[in-house]
Amino acid sequence: MHVSQATDTDGQTYAQKGIVRNLSWTLSPHKLHGLMGRSGSGKTSLSLMFAGLLQPSRGHILLLGQDWTNHPTLRQKRVIYMPQTPVLFNGTLFDNIVYNIPGWTPRAVHRLLQRHAIANVFSSGVETESPKQKPGRASSQRHASFGEETYLHRDVGHLGQRLSGGQKQMVMLARTLVMIEARTKHAARTNTPWLLILDEPTASLDAKNERRLIAALHHLKARVTILVITHSEQVARLCDSHRILA
């Protein structure tokens, strides 16, 4: 694949001279793949091409043997892209995770988060606090451990200001989990995702939550092939395979 100029789905042109040249890369299905590279090496541009948001000037993008280079709309149905900057809005944690996807309850979301071992990330700092008693850390852990989804009802503040940077990243992951679950179970087969792309998903996470997120992705890869864009060598080593852009 050669990229000297990229055009998005609205026909706007971006001058990107020789960002990615002569790249041939096969993403094995149901694996966790990492893409590393210095700033400006083309990591994000390449991921946007996979997602159908940018077009390569030369070459082809094949998904399951089909040439989708000139069919960005189809790629957008089959590819889920999680951007680096979390997009949150005023409302509850549940509202931000479900993101208007119908058919979900707080209990169902909590069970999904538990299944991927990330419920505890949210159980601290956004818990219900009654006027008479403020639950401490042990109480927060009980909420996550015994299936209580109370924490999902808490307001996250203006654009998520009551959440830490790491929690915001995990909200995006939780939203992605809900989206994949909904498309796989309830949507038409033409919308079943094949590829999940995450742009720097561990940028705001500490080491513990970084490992937790990667573990969740390894669990999720049974449902969808995953590509992680990262600058972290540690994250890349935790993937099944990784590629470095010079």
Side-chain angles (χ1 to χ4, degrees):
M1 179 184 296
H2 172 87
V3 179
S4 58
Q5 192 175 65
T7 305
D8 73 3
T9 54
D10 295 322
Q12 295 176 320
T13 298
Y14 299 85
Q16 298 181 355
K17 298 181 180 179
I19 290 181
V20 182
R21 294 177 180 270
N22 303 320
L23 174 65
S24 178
W25 190 20
T26 299
L27 301 182
S28 300
H30 301 293
K31 297 290 184 182
L32 177 57
H33 304 276
L35 181 62
M36 283 186 61
R38 58 177 174 77
S39 179
S41 62
K43 302 188 302 297
T44 296
S45 294
L46 187 59
S47 69
L48 291 175
M49 278 185 274
F50 278 126
L53 301 176
L54 289 177
Q55 288 288 81
S57 61
R58 299 179 188 178
H60 303 277
I61 298 174
L62 305 179
L63 292 177
L64 295 185
Q66 301 180 45
D67 185 354
W68 282 6
T69 305
N70 297 317
H71 299 281
T73 302
L74 292 178
R75 272 181 283 160
Q76 290 173 31
K77 289 183 178 180
R78 293 294 196 176
V79 178
I80 294 178
Y81 178 73
M82 178 177 142
Q84 178 177 355
T85 303
V87 179
L88 279 74
F89 53 87
N90 301 348
T92 66
L93 185 58
F94 173 79
D95 292 336
N96 274 272
I97 291 175
V98 171
Y99 207 62
N100 290 327
I101 298 176
W104 285 87
T105 65
R107 175 59 59 89
V109 170
H110 173 70
R111 288 175 175 172
L112 179 65
L113 300 185
Q114 278 194 318
R115 192 159 73 243
H116 291 275
I118 62 173
N120 285 337
V121 173
F122 305 109
S123 64
S124 176
V126 289
E127 276 296 349
T128 298
E129 296 186 2
S130 68
K132 297 181 180 180
Q133 182 181 6
K134 294 184 178 181
R137 183 174 181 179
S139 177
S140 297
Q141 291 174 343
R142 283 197 298 272
H143 279 295
S145 299
F146 294 106
E148 297 182 22
E149 64 277 3
T150 312
Y151 62 94
L152 289 170
H153 298 287
R154 300 311 303 154
D155 192 281
V156 301
H158 179 65
L159 303 180
Q161 64 183 5
R162 295 181 183 175
L163 301 179
S164 67
Q167 286 175 324
K168 292 177 183 179
Q169 291 287 137
M170 296 300 261
V171 167
M172 296 295 288
L173 175 61
R175 185 184 297 168
T176 300
L177 295 176
V178 168
M179 189 181 304
I180 291 175
E181 193 82 7
R183 286 197 190 183
T184 302
K185 286 188 174 182
H186 306 296
R189 292 180 61 85
T190 54
N191 288 332
T192 302
W194 288 345
L195 178 64
L196 168 62
I197 302 172
L198 304 98
D199 193 356
E200 298 284 0
T202 64
S204 300
L205 301 182
D206 57 23
K208 179 180 179 180
N209 283 324
E210 182 178 275
R211 291 191 298 270
R212 181 177 284 162
L213 182 141
I214 294 298
L217 294 181
H218 274 292
H219 186 267
L220 182 62
K221 69 185 181 184
R223 307 285 292 275
V224 62
T225 304
I226 303 174
L227 174 63
V228 174
I229 312 299
T230 183
H231 66 278
S232 168
E233 185 176 347
Q234 173 66 19
V235 170
R237 286 201 301 264
L238 293 173
C239 296
D240 295 316
S241 68
H242 68 273
R243 187 76 177 259
I244 300 176
L245 293 181

